[in-house]
Structure formats: C-alpha cells, structure tokens
Amino acid sequence: MVDAAFAQRRKALRAGLAGWAGSPSAAEAALPQVEGKIRVSGLQDPVEVQRDSWGVPAIFAASLDDLWFAQGFVTASERLFQIDAALRAA
C-alpha cells in the first residue's frame, strides 16, 4: 500500500532521474519496487511492508526471523539505488 503523497514524490524523483540518467528506463531500473508483491525464498510466512507518505517502511511479520529478513531486503533494495546513483555520478 503506497500513500498518494509518497507516490507523487516518487513520480517527481523518477522524472528527475530520467533527465539525469539519460533515459526513463535507466531511472526506473534504479528505484526499488514499492508496490505489488515480490516472491522471495527464505521467508516462513508472508510479510507486509507498508510505506508512509515519506516512503518510510513499516514491516509486519509473524516471526522475528521473517521480520529481520524483510528489513534486510528493504534496506538492500534502497541501498542499491544509492550505489547505482553514486556510480552514475562518478
């Protein structure tokens, strides 16, 4: 579930990145998926990640193991954007 204000900010970020990266597809590839479902092996039960209007994730899981796994997954996906942006700027 994505808040409307967050979706608007993400759209603006996507437009800015498209100009910087040279193409909309390159910009889109750098952003983490925040809507829909992702199947990941390693989870025991379903996990839900909700983002507030600023994109801050709230993770809901049935077990601590699944919670920590999801927290790592979310952090890594957001870090990938940062790494990709730094590489493009270099």
Side-chain angles (χ1 to χ4, degrees):
M1 185 171 118
V2 175
D3 182 277
F6 173 66
Q8 189 69 17
R9 280 192 283 282
R10 187 172 168 85
K11 184 178 179 182
L13 176 63
R14 189 179 302 130
L17 282 173
W20 179 59
S23 74
S25 61
E28 193 64 37
L31 294 173
Q33 179 180 339
V34 294
E35 296 179 286
K37 295 184 178 186
I38 302 174
R39 286 198 167 276
V40 180
S41 62
L43 292 173
Q44 298 169 1
D45 294 307
V47 173
E48 185 175 352
V49 178
Q50 296 179 358
R51 294 178 184 269
D52 67 8
S53 62
W54 291 100
V56 177
I59 303 170
F60 301 92
S63 70
L64 278 176
D65 288 340
D66 287 347
L67 176 75
W68 290 119
F69 186 95
Q71 190 272 336
F73 186 89
V74 168
T75 301
S77 67
E78 292 173 352
R79 179 90 170 112
L80 180 61
F81 165 76
Q82 182 184 12
I83 292 169
D84 185 58
L87 286 173
R88 291 176 190 274

